[in-house]
């Protein structure tokens, strides 16, 4: 088969990887994760970002966290089957019971050195106690 470039998506210069972010997750989407056009579902990408935000916030809170909000999410480029999705996080703010993180997702294209930023968002995670109630985030 032939790979035909998509004319409506201009080639963008390679993005600078976020140097102040922590690489939290690397995952490869599979055929079950794509739509009829062969693009990975945005919901699947968002779920991976939520996992990464949860891991990073849980480490910072030293315990259980839940997602309270996802803000400012824009999908810039598609993710394809076989691409490696790399999810980076940085903690932007620690409140009394919440942690706000910026989460950026990059696709390393299948069998290529090309890396494209595909989306970013801010996740607000809330620390919970053993009964599921908000609890203060410990000083670090």
């Amino acid at each position: 088969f032939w790979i035909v470039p998509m004319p409506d998506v201009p080639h963008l210069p390679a993005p600078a990887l976020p140097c102040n972010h922590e690489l939290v997750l690397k995952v490869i989407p599979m055929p079950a994760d794509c739509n009829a056009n062969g693009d990975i579902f945005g919901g699947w990408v968002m779920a991976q970002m939520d996992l990464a935000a949860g891991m990073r916030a849980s480490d910072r809170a030293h315990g259980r966290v839940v997602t309270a909000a996802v803000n400012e999410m824009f999908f810039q480029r598609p993710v394809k089957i076989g691409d490696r999705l790399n999810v980076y996080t940085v903690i932007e703010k620690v409140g009394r019971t919440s942690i706000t993180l910026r989460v950026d997702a990059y696709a390393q294209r299948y069998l290529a050195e090309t890396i494209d930023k595909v989306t970013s968002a801010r996740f607000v995670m809330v620390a919970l106690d053993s009964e599921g109630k908000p609890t203060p985030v410990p000083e670090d």
Side-chain angles (χ1 to χ4, degrees):
F1 66 88
W2 293 91
I3 299 174
V4 180
M6 296 175 22
D8 57 332
V9 179
H11 177 70
L12 300 174
L17 294 176
C19 60
N20 61 336
H21 290 42
E22 179 180 322
L23 177 60
V24 177
L25 183 70
K26 291 182 184 184
V27 64
I28 297 175
M30 302 305 281
D33 305 317
C34 75
N35 62 27
N37 298 316
D39 297 324
I40 300 304
F41 289 116
W44 182 88
V45 174
M46 186 176 177
Q48 304 312 307
M49 295 170 73
D50 192 32
L51 286 170
M55 285 188 276
R56 182 82 186 269
S58 178
D59 288 348
R60 175 60 185 84
H62 307 293
R64 182 177 170 193
V65 297
V66 293
T67 307
V70 180
N71 300 310
E72 303 171 19
M73 184 169 223
F74 302 98
F75 290 94
Q76 300 166 356
R77 307 283 290 186
V79 178
K80 300 287 188 181
I81 296 169
D83 289 350
R84 183 173 68 195
L85 187 72
N86 297 328
V87 183
Y88 295 82
T89 67
V90 65
I91 295 173
E92 292 186 329
K93 178 183 169 189
V94 177
R96 191 178 75 76
T97 63
S98 67
I99 301 168
T100 302
L101 306 100
R102 179 179 167 99
V103 182
D104 295 317
Y106 290 79
Q108 181 174 345
R109 301 306 179 178
Y110 181 65
L111 298 178
E113 296 295 319
T114 306
I115 298 173
D116 293 318
K117 183 174 183 181
V118 295
T119 189
S120 63
R122 282 190 172 75
F123 282 72
V124 179
M125 312 301 283
V126 173
L128 300 179
D129 64 17
S130 61
E131 294 178 8
K133 296 181 179 167
T135 189
V137 176
E139 295 289 328
D140 220 28

